[in-house]
Every structure is written in C-alpha cells, then in structure tokens.
Amino acid sequence: MTAQGLFISFEGIDGAGKSTHVEALAERVRGTGRTVVLTREPGGTPLAEKLRSLALHEAMDPLTEALLMFAARRDHLQQVIEPALARGDAVLCDRFTDATFAYQGGGRGFDWQTLSTLERMVQSLPSVSEASGVKLRQPDLTLWFDLPPSTAAERLAGARLPDRFESQPITFFEAVRAGYERRMSEDPSRFARVDANQSREQVWQAVCQSVHSRGWI
C-alpha cells in the first residue's frame, strides 16, 4: 500500500533564511525512509522556470505577474507535485501559493478575491461527489519564516544583484509581511510561524518542533 504523500511549503521574504533549512529538513525526512522531492516556486519544471525568469526580470503589470505565477504553478502541480504525492513522496517546496497572495496581493496591492479565483482554478482537486464541494491542493504544513523587513534587508545587503522583487523598498516588504499574516489568519491550522529573527540553531529547532508535532519526523 502506498504511503500518503506529504507536502510542506517554506514561505517568507528573501533574507528570512528559509532556504537554509529546506535541505536540512529534507535529510531529516529522508531518515524516516520517505523519498523527498525538493522543488521551488515559481519554477520546478522547465516551463515554470522560464516563466520564473520572466516574472523576476521583465516589467509587467500586477495582473500579468499574477497570471504568470499561477501558470507556472499549474504546470508545476501537474508535472511534479501531484505525481510525487501520488507516489507517497514528501514534497518540500520553497514557496507556493501563499507567496502569490503575499507578494502580488500584499506587496502589489492586487485584488485578493481575484487571486482566490485563480487559486481555485489552478489548484482544484477532483471531488468524490458534488456534495463534498471543491477541495484545493494546499500544503499539509506551511512554515512561515517571519522576519522584520529591515533585518532581511541588512542580511541581503551586497549579497547579489537584486531582481525586480528584491529591489523593492522596505514598505513593499512590510506589505508582503502583512499579506502573509492575512493568509495565515485565513487558514491558521496549516501554518506554523517561525520567528526567523533569532539564531540559525533556534530557527532549526522551531522548524523541527513544528514538523515533529505532526508526527512526520
């Protein structure tokens, strides 16, 4: 019998340190005997990576930006995430839909309800019956690495040439953070907020506790 798949997403603004812990958690999950698929958004497939490059480097309006994100996500779900979950693998994804709500909804100020409509279109799963309603593919756990934008900016200073998002002012990232807070308030049982404004070891312990409490490691 195939084990049930596991889907964990890592969220937060650049500089919050989430990427540092993705591989470490992957090793812990592999230690349980489960196959791990490491991936990211936007990206994860050849097509989605091309759309990522456009979104990060080409000028566009917020609607075009949001549509690109969801187009990349649809291909990612179809080609990578759903097949992996069907096999019983663990999918660890560096950002997922919450990032779209935070960045395009919070940071860009794009209409939240329109994003919700796109989310339903892209992430709807087949229902057993009409009475069961629409079920969306969401992570089983979302680790939100929460860090004050000013601290994130200090960590990233001079690290690399910024893309369209990283070059935004602090006020943009404050709005992104508020977007994450709003998203968490809408689905609190799925989220684990990780205080990223502490040592790497303390952050790692918080990550492990959040996953361990659900019996996955």
Side-chain angles (χ1 to χ4, degrees), residues 2 23 29-30 32 61 63 65 91 96 101 108 134-135 141-144 153 161 164 177 181 187 208 211 214:
T2 303
E23 181 59 48
V29 175
R30 289 188 188 106
T32 68
D61 77 333
L63 174 56
E65 194 173 272
V91 176
F96 192 60
F101 280 84
R108 301 293 192 206
V134 175
K135 180 176 175 60
L141 171 65
T142 295
L143 296 163
W144 173 33
L161 186 65
R164 286 179 60 241
R177 188 185 190 189
E181 287 180 330
D187 193 3
C208 289
V211 180
R214 289 163 171 80

Side-chain angles (χ1 to χ4, degrees), residues 134-154:
V134 175
K135 180 176 175 60
L136 302 183
R137 171 61 70 199
Q138 298 287 15
D140 299 298
L141 171 65
T142 295
L143 296 163
W144 173 33
F145 292 73
D146 185 22
L147 185 72
S150 58
T151 304
E154 292 173 4

Side-chain angles (χ1 to χ4, degrees), residues 73-212:
R73 181 163 301 125
R74 179 65 180 179
D75 193 59
H76 191 205
L77 281 164
Q78 293 290 301
Q79 302 299 325
V80 176
I81 295 177
E82 293 298 344
L85 295 176
R87 294 192 302 265
D89 296 348
V91 176
L92 273 57
C93 191
D94 189 343
R95 294 204 175 107
F96 192 60
T97 309
D98 300 306
T100 304
F101 280 84
Y103 278 80
Q104 280 71 55
R108 301 293 192 206
F110 191 68
D111 182 66
W112 202 267
Q113 188 56 50
T114 300
L115 293 177
S116 296
T117 298
L118 291 170
E119 180 183 34
R120 287 193 300 273
M121 291 174 62
V122 169
Q123 295 165 228
S124 293
L125 295 171
S127 298
V128 176
S129 67
E130 292 184 7
S132 64
V134 175
K135 180 176 175 60
L136 302 183
R137 171 61 70 199
Q138 298 287 15
D140 299 298
L141 171 65
T142 295
L143 296 163
W144 173 33
F145 292 73
D146 185 22
L147 185 72
S150 58
T151 304
E154 292 173 4
R155 291 182 180 180
L156 289 173
R160 59 179 180 267
L161 186 65
D163 59 36
R164 286 179 60 241
F165 294 97
E166 294 168 342
S167 60
Q168 295 296 313
I170 291 292
T171 51
F172 174 84
F173 291 102
E174 290 171 345
V176 170
R177 188 185 190 189
Y180 275 124
E181 287 180 330
R182 177 176 176 181
R183 187 71 167 162
M184 183 174 68
S185 72
E186 294 175 346
D187 193 3
S189 64
R190 176 167 61 82
F191 274 80
R193 178 186 173 275
V194 176
D195 180 3
N197 196 19
Q198 52 185 343
S199 71
R200 181 178 296 186
E201 292 74 19
Q202 290 172 312
V203 172
W204 172 239
Q205 288 301 315
V207 169
C208 289
Q209 177 58 37
S210 296
V211 180
H212 180 72

Side-chain angles (χ1 to χ4, degrees), residues 1-58:
M1 180 178 177
T2 303
Q4 184 175 357
L6 174 64
F7 186 12
I8 302 175
S9 62
F10 294 69
E11 295 286 354
I13 61 176
D14 288 295
K18 59 182 173 54
S19 299
T20 302
H21 300 284
V22 175
E23 181 59 48
L25 184 59
E27 285 301 312
R28 288 291 298 271
V29 175
R30 289 188 188 106
T32 68
R34 191 189 289 264
T35 298
V36 174
V37 174
L38 284 174
T39 190
R40 68 174 182 176
E41 287 212 352
T45 70
L47 173 59
E49 290 291 336
K50 291 176 183 177
L51 296 177
R52 175 191 179 91
S53 181
L54 291 173
L56 295 185
H57 302 294
E58 299 294 334

